[in-house]
């Protein structure tokens, strides 16, 4: 399977979009309610959730720009 | 030689005529200027028309201000020196300025790159010598007899000091060699075009990046307490290219049987090597307290990392090798 670097960038962009689109109320709150204990038990779920949260916080605005750029590129170059 | 000595600047006390190292605080020279360059005594400036290189540019700020023209008006030595090294003193000064500017530019670029990629740490990984490379390659092919897998702790650790230190030289070289070997293999099968080289290299690079991301994410999510550095991970993921090269070469020489045998052997040795090495790094921390769940998931991570490598090795080489059969048949029948 011959991927190029551009395919990798596209795939990463799509995955980041997917993470940012997850619905807070309907979906993510179910995972929040399970464990909210502080302390040193940083289990896998907590780590994953904090990762998702940080991606959503950080990448919301740059993703808009990246999406616009990718759409423009696809329009021009097909 | 009284006349030249009479022109010597009283404060600086430089030596004349022979190779000078420094004319004093204003104009140090960094090269052996073997021409006799008399200096005019005017003002506080010492302006040898054969310029010195290199020194900090602040020192020349005053030097550029004074044009050499007044210095040349008076004395006959100036004429003699005008035919010396640089006919045009302005060119000499321009060269000085350009050199200092280039030095500044280099520092600026270095500082900016340092923000994104820590170049000094990367340099440590390339500090290898021949003995290390040979021993490491031997270790990658046959790790079963090696006994001491931990790194003797010295900071900073370079590959020269200890054979167990991961390096980046072997992965980079193995990557390039793999691309070339893949080109050879494709050429033997008459499937080679120059674009294939680019396609293969970018494809392999993409898989490497994907693997790096997956492993780094998994390490972060399972919250494994280890001090394994990111570049170490790149190095460990790059060692499989050695196995891939061996598989390709064996496949070229011995066709399918050789390819699969070499693939199995490389997978085995690489898995063994990685498990032994990473065990030292990932599970090395429990001195007093042992995190129960932490070390268990660390173990899973370790096994996962070690086992995913053969998968990648097979994946990346199989599409180069798999059209062997038609070529073998074609050579027999009419075409």
């Amino acid at each position: 399977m011959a991927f190029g670097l551009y395919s990798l960038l596209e795939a990463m962009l799509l995955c980041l979009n997917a993470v940012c689109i997850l619905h807070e109320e309907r979906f993510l709150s179910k995972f929040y309610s399970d464990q909210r204990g502080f302390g040193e038990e940083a289990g896998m779920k907590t780590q994953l959730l904090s990762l998702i949260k940080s991606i959503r916080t950080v990448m919301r605005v740059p993703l808009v720009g990246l999406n616009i750029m990718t759409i423009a590129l696809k329009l021009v170059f097909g | 030689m009284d006349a030249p000595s009479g022109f010597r600047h009283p404060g600086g006390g430089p030596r004349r005529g022979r190779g000078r190292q420094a004319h004093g605080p204003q104009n140090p020279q960094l090269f052996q200027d073997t021409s006799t360059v008399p200096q005019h005594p005017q003002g506080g400036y010492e302006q040898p028309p054969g310029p010195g290189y290199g020194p900090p540019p602040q020192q020349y700020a005053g030097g550029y201000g004074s044009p050499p023209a007044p210095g040349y008006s008076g004395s006959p030595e100036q004429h003699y020196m005008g035919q010396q090294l640089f006919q045009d003193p302005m060119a000499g000064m321009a060269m000085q300025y350009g050199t200092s500017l280039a030095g500044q530019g280099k520092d600026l670029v270095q500082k900016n790159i340092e923000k994104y990629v820590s170049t000094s740490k990367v340099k440590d990984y390339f500090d290898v010598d021949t003995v290390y490379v040979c021993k490491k390659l031997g270790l990658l092919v046959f790790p079963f007899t090696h006994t001491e897998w931990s790194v003797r702790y010295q900071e900073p650790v370079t590959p020269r000091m200890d054979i167990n230190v991961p390096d980046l030289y072997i992965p980079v070289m193995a990557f390039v060699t793999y691309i070339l070997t893949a080109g050879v293999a494709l050429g033997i099968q008459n499937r080679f075009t120059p674009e294939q080289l680019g396609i293969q290299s970018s494809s392999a690079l993409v898989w490497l990046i994907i693997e790096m991301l997956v492993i780094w994410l998994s390490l972060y999510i399972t919250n494994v307490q280890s001090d394994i550095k990111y570049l170490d991970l790149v190095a460990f993921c790059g060692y499989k290219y050695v196995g891939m090269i061996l598989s390709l070469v064996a496949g070229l020489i011995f066709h399918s049987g050789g390819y699969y045998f070499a693939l199995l052997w490389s997978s085995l040795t690489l898995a063994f090597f990685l498990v032994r090495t990473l065990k030292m790094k990932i599970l090395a921390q429990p001195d007093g307290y042992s995190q129960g769940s932490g070390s268990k998931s660390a173990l899973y991570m370790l096994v996962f990392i070690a086992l995913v490598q053969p998968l990648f090795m097979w994946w990346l080489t199989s599409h180069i090798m798999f059209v062997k059969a038609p070529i073998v048949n074609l050579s027999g029948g009419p075409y």
Side-chain angles (χ1 to χ4, degrees), chain A residues 8 12, chain B residues 208-218 230:
Chain A
L8 180 69
M12 274 176 50
Chain B
L208 185 70
I209 293 179
I210 289 180
E211 182 185 357
M212 291 306 311
L213 279 176
V214 166
I215 289 183
W216 179 69
L217 268 177
S218 322
Y230 193 55

Side-chain angles (χ1 to χ4, degrees), chain A residues 1-4 8 42 47-48, chain B residues 199 203 206 210 220-221 223 315:
Chain A
M1 222 192 299
F3 287 147
L8 180 69
Q47 287 287 100
L48 199 58
Chain B
I199 293 176
S203 151
V206 161
I210 289 180
Y220 176 75
I221 287 178
N223 204 21
W315 182 262

Side-chain angles (χ1 to χ4, degrees), chain B residues 41 93 101 183 223 237 275 307:
Chain B
M93 272 203 319
L101 209 60
N223 204 21
C237 290
V275 164
L307 284 186

Side-chain angles (χ1 to χ4, degrees), chain B residues 83-245:
Chain B
Q83 302 155 13
Q84 286 305 311
L85 294 172
F86 304 101
Q87 298 283 347
D88 181 17
M90 290 307 276
M93 272 203 319
M95 261 172 64
Q96 264 178 324
Y97 189 57
T99 316
S100 74
L101 209 60
Q104 275 176 336
K106 193 163 76 101
D107 285 337
L108 195 68
V109 167
Q110 188 80 4
K111 240 189 336 202
N112 276 339
I113 289 193
E114 185 82 22
K115 274 194 282 199
Y116 299 115
V117 176
S118 49
T119 48
S120 52
K121 287 199 216 121
V122 170
K123 264 193 236 172
D124 272 346
Y125 281 96
F126 283 99
D127 183 21
V128 293
D129 53 352
T130 324
V131 174
Y132 173 83
V133 171
C134 290
K135 279 200 194 153
K136 194 85 183 195
L137 286 177
L139 203 63
L140 281 170
V141 171
F142 198 77
F144 305 110
T145 55
H146 191 69
T147 47
E148 185 60 44
W149 289 91
S150 57
V151 178
R152 279 170 312 169
Y153 183 73
Q154 330 168 18
E155 276 295 326
V157 198
T158 60
R160 272 178 205 259
M161 303 183 201
D162 194 349
I163 193 182
N164 291 318
V165 175
D167 68 315
L168 277 176
Y169 173 81
I170 289 182
V172 168
M173 289 293 157
F175 183 74
V176 175
T177 315
Y178 161 71
I179 300 297
L180 294 174
T181 322
V184 168
L186 287 176
I188 289 183
Q189 300 167 12
N190 291 329
R191 276 200 298 163
F192 181 78
T193 65
E195 288 88 26
Q196 281 288 330
L197 276 181
I199 293 176
Q200 292 296 327
S201 68
S202 60
S203 151
L205 202 62
V206 161
W207 280 113
L208 185 70
I209 293 179
I210 289 180
E211 182 185 357
M212 291 306 311
L213 279 176
V214 166
I215 289 183
W216 179 69
L217 268 177
S218 322
L219 275 179
Y220 176 75
I221 287 178
T222 56
N223 204 21
V224 165
Q225 312 280 349
S226 76
D227 60 346
I228 187 167
K229 302 191 223 356
Y230 193 55
L231 284 176
D232 279 357
L233 220 52
V234 176
F236 289 132
C237 290
Y239 282 144
K240 65 171 173 296
Y241 289 113
V242 180
M244 279 158 64
I245 294 173

Side-chain angles (χ1 to χ4, degrees), chain B residues 139 143-151 164 236 268-284 302 306:
Chain B
L139 203 63
F144 305 110
T145 55
H146 191 69
T147 47
E148 185 60 44
W149 289 91
S150 57
V151 178
N164 291 318
F236 289 132
L268 206 62
T269 56
L270 191 67
F272 187 81
F273 173 82
L274 278 180
V275 164
R276 292 301 285 267
T277 312
L278 290 178
K279 190 164 72 168
M280 285 298 145
K281 284 196 174 290
I282 292 185
L283 299 180
L302 184 64

